Amino acid sequence: MIFSKLAAPLAAILAVATAQRPATPQSTEVIDGIKFIKSGPRVLLPKDEYELKFARDALNRLKTRLGPDGLLDLLQPDIQEADAFWHDIIDKSSSSLYVSADGRVIGFFPNMTALDFAAWSQSPLADKANNAANPEHYFKRTEEVSPGVLRAEILEGWGGVTTHFTVPDYTTPPDKEKHGMLRELPEFPIQAAGSKVLADGTDAVFGVLHISVRDVPGEEHGEEQDGIEVYASVWYGDAIDDDHLEAERQHIVVEIINMSMQAQKDIENGDFKPPTAQ
């Protein structure tokens, strides 16, 4: 009798609650062969897209809290492994044969030219943006040693090899007598290059970095907005394997996209005054 008296009010409450609950969209995703039906978020995305954002937030927080010196201490075992790795590549490579990991990206930005990006990339804002440029980036500290020449200290994972190194001679334009392996690339009016030197006290040169930037007419790609192209190459001795180079190619593409997007944001919000606006 009690249950029968409660049944009607309870049914009414449940009906009202059901009517008030907003319908949520669903999406289906297969992960490692297992099917999942998801609902809840207002914006439904693949699981990895959610996780990537969370990973970026967590990594940036850890990198910021630890700081450059804390990261050097924490990652010292990995750095020592990297030193051994690169010395082995140097020892096994021919003295005159080099191979490169290359990445090229064209982006169409409303407020940025090739000259603007090149100037931003050599400003303190580029060092500040380094943590978010790639999950394998830890820190970059840059100083000008003479007009047109920068020195950078970097802790970065290249192809999974966590390397502490300097670029003591990042020069605009490149010193192509010193770095004879560099491509000429006459279509790129803005170029810079420098040696990658291990910071283990040996002064061993294990690679050469070459970055080139140019403006690209939008109509060449069916776009109304003109774009910029960034072409980055890292040259190594020929003992390096292609699996490592492929990991670096992927790294380079991620880095170019993230850094150029940050440069655009810094121009938009007024943190960086581009040369073309002066």
Side-chain angles (χ1 to χ4, degrees), residues 5 19 21 25 36 55 57 60 99 124 137-139 143 145 148-149 162 167 172 185 229 231 241 249 268:
K5 290 180 178 180
R21 186 173 60 216
F36 296 90
D57 291 345
N60 282 332
V99 294
H137 284 211
Y138 299 100
F139 71 79
E143 60 180 348
V145 294
V149 181
T162 304
V167 181
T172 306
L185 303 178
E229 180 176 11
Y231 183 2
D241 62 64
R249 295 173 195 126
E268 282 183 345

Side-chain angles (χ1 to χ4, degrees), residues 140-152:
K140 178 172 175 279
R141 298 187 277 206
T142 305
E143 60 180 348
E144 185 177 41
V145 294
S146 62
V149 181
L150 300 177
R151 179 190 184 278

Side-chain angles (χ1 to χ4, degrees), residues 16-91:
V16 170
T18 301
Q20 291 178 343
R21 186 173 60 216
T24 57
Q26 292 184 339
S27 69
T28 300
E29 182 176 3
V30 178
I31 304 172
D32 292 339
I34 299 173
K35 182 176 180 179
F36 296 90
I37 299 174
K38 304 172 303 191
S39 64
R42 291 193 301 273
V43 179
L44 286 171
L45 299 171
K47 186 271 296 184
D48 282 354
E49 292 199 36
Y50 295 135
E51 192 169 9
L52 178 59
K53 177 186 181 302
F54 305 147
R56 284 173 175 164
D57 291 345
L59 284 170
N60 282 332
R61 188 177 301 276
L62 288 170
K63 292 174 186 178
T64 301
R65 294 299 185 197
L66 285 167
D69 293 332
L71 287 163
L72 283 173
D73 289 342
L74 178 68
L75 297 174
Q76 197 57 224
D78 304 278
I79 293 168
Q80 292 174 11
E81 288 181 10
D83 291 339
F85 173 88
W86 290 118
H87 279 292
D88 185 57
I89 295 297
I90 293 169
D91 292 342

Side-chain angles (χ1 to χ4, degrees), residues 201-215:
T202 65
D203 291 329
V205 177
F206 69 100
V208 176
L209 172 66
H210 184 197
I211 298 179
S212 306
V213 189
R214 66 172 176 169
D215 291 306

